[in-house]
């Protein structure tokens, strides 16, 4: 059974779900998600002898939502992971992240390798700090229409998503999935400056088979406090670039796994296909070449739970 509780971590309260006993595996969700995005991983990993923990990260779900935008930097987020491991009575853990959770997992391994037994990222590849701030780069490249820039504008996406959260989440999940008609065609996620983003997304009459009405209920409930906390992560992208300057050129050296879908837009971001192709040479700690899942969109562990679970278990056992 999955158990739920609250913990004091890094100066805030975090809600977490946990199951099983054994080596600790921390699962970190992305946007717009919650701990529930990992619910198909709990049973298989726990049955295999691992202690599985998935928090609602800061700004999400039942965890605290600090008001200060500056409380959502990558250093705060890594601090939450380190604090969570310690609060759970452990010294080390395997850390797995999807979407925004992947950069948190990668940076935890980069900044605190002593805490990380092994690290896995889904959708978002390992961090290699660019020469320029990311928001400024995308602003120039796409005239402010790239969704990072849209999300970074105070109050704008908050209001669009908050007007009808259930519809917004339904449309967004389908839009970024491998089931969407245009998935995998290489187009960049650009926002219509006049109509916003959701207006351009199809509203599916039937949800994908891997995402039920109950899943949508749980996701909608997790955003009952709004979207601002979650969107504040994007508002720190350039600040994160500044804060990570001391690690320029550093490479994750913990055992690592990277998994992505061939219909996911994220691996097609500017410069990312080239990075993925070079990862085995750039990152010697990569346990195997990047694992590409055919027909899979952005929601990796939800769209392809059996394949993701098999890959994670093989990786975790190899690191043990």
């Amino acid at each position: 059974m999955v158990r739920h509780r609250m913990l004091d971590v890094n100066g805030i309260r975090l809600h977490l779900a946990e199951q099983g006993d054994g080596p600790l595996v921390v699962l970190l969700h992305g946007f717009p998600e919650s701990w529930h995005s990992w619910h198909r991983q709990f049973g298989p990993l726990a049955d295999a002898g691992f202690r599985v923990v998935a928090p609602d990260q800061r700004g999400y779900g039942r965890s605290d939502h600090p008001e200060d935008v500056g409380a959502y930097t990558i250093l705060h987020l890594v601090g939450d992971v380190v604090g969570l491991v310690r609060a759970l009575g452990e010294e080390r853990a395997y850390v797995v992240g999807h979407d925004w959770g992947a950069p948190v997992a990668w940076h935890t391994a980069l900044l605190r390798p002593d805490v990380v037994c092994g690290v896995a990222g889904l959708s978002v590849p390992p961090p290699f700090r660019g020469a320029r701030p990311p928001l400024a780069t995308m602003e120039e490249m796409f005239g402010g229409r790239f969704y990072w820039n849209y999300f970074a504008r105070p109050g704008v996406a908050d209001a669009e998503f908050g007007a009808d959260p259930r519809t917004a989440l339904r449309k967004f999940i389908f839009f970024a999935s491998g089931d969407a008609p245009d998935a995998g065609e290489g187009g960049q996620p650009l926002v219509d400056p006049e109509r916003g983003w959701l207006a351009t997304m199809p509203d599916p009459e039937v949800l994908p088979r891997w995402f039920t009405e109950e899943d949508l209920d749980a996701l909608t409930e997790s955003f009952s406090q709004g979207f601002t906390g979650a969107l504040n992560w994007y508002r720190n992208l350039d600040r994160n670039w500044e804060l990570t300057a001391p690690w320029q050129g550093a490479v994750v050296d913990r055992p690592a796994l990277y998994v992505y879908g061939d219909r996911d837009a994220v691996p097609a971001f500017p410069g990312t296909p080239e990075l993925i192709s070079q990862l085995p040479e750039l990152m010697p700690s990569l346990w195997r070449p990047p694992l590409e899942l055919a027909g899979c969109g952005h929601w990796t562990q939800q769209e392809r739970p059996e394949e993701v679970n098999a890959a994670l278990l093989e990786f975790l056992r190899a690191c043990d």
Side-chain angles (χ1 to χ4, degrees):
M1 294 291 292
V2 177
R3 306 177 298 276
H4 296 263
R5 58 173 166 147
M6 303 293 292
L7 279 181
D8 291 313
V9 174
N10 198 22
I12 63 171
R13 296 271 287 169
L14 289 182
H15 163 255
L16 60 90
E18 59 184 325
Q19 183 178 356
D21 296 293
L24 178 62
V25 180
V26 177
L27 305 175
L28 304 171
H29 66 79
F31 177 90
E33 299 175 284
S34 71
W35 77 269
H36 184 78
S37 69
W38 297 103
H39 71 282
R40 292 182 178 88
Q41 281 65 57
F42 272 79
L45 295 184
D47 290 345
F50 293 95
R51 181 186 183 188
V52 186
V53 171
D56 284 334
Q57 297 202 75
R58 67 168 60 204
Y60 285 86
R62 285 181 264 171
S63 293
D64 282 352
H65 296 227
E67 292 187 11
D68 181 9
V69 175
Y72 294 86
T73 73
I74 194 66
L75 299 187
H76 290 86
L77 303 173
V78 169
D80 290 346
V81 178
V82 174
L84 177 61
V85 172
R86 297 287 189 260
L88 291 168
E90 303 288 349
E91 294 296 320
R92 305 180 75 208
Y94 299 96
V95 185
V96 181
H98 168 256
D99 183 75
W100 251 114
V104 179
W106 294 126
H107 279 90
T108 302
L110 183 67
L111 276 58
R112 291 299 306 272
D114 58 307
V115 176
V116 177
C117 304
V119 58
L122 312 182
S123 178
V124 181
F128 287 85
R129 186 174 177 272
R132 299 183 59 224
L135 286 174
T137 299
M138 292 304 194
E139 180 82 29
E140 181 179 304
M141 189 176 294
F142 296 106
R145 295 185 59 201
F146 197 72
Y147 80 104
W148 291 356
N149 302 101
Y150 179 68
F151 283 179
R153 295 171 194 140
V156 179
D158 319 47
E160 185 180 16
F161 277 79
D164 184 350
R166 187 181 180 85
T167 297
L169 292 166
R170 181 176 61 245
K171 294 176 74 170
F172 191 87
I173 294 293
F174 180 71
F175 167 78
S177 76
D179 295 78
D182 298 331
E185 295 187 1
Q188 299 299 325
L190 304 181
V191 180
D192 186 318
E194 301 297 328
R195 303 169 62 201
W197 204 13
L198 296 173
T200 65
M201 294 182 186
D203 193 352
E205 294 183 7
V206 179
L207 291 173
R209 58 176 178 76
W210 48 267
F211 189 74
T212 67
E213 290 290 343
E214 290 74 21
D215 293 330
L216 181 57
D217 289 341
L219 185 59
T220 303
E221 172 60 27
S222 73
F223 283 95
S224 60
Q225 297 185 59
F227 291 83
T228 298
L231 290 166
N232 281 341
W233 291 42
Y234 292 89
R235 292 160 187 157
N236 280 280
L237 280 167
D238 282 1
R239 186 176 288 115
N240 291 342
W241 182 83
E242 296 171 358
L243 292 171
T244 55
W247 291 272
Q248 179 73 32
V251 177
V252 172
D253 64 4
R254 304 308 298 146
L257 172 70
Y258 174 54
V259 182
Y260 68 102
D262 67 352
R263 292 173 66 83
D264 184 354
V266 172
F269 285 179
T272 306
E274 295 79 8
L275 171 61
I276 293 172
S277 69
Q278 297 170 26
L279 273 180
E281 292 75 41
L282 294 172
M283 207 166 105
S285 66
L286 204 63
W287 175 67
R288 53 149 296 157
L291 176 59
E292 182 183 68
L293 302 179
C296 182
H298 182 61
W299 317 107
T300 327
Q301 76 273 20
Q302 298 185 77
E303 294 187 50
R304 294 291 187 275
E306 294 182 359
E307 292 166 87
V308 168
N309 293 344
L312 286 177
L313 284 172
E314 189 178 8
F315 172 67
L316 295 171
R317 287 166 175 155
C319 292
D320 194 8

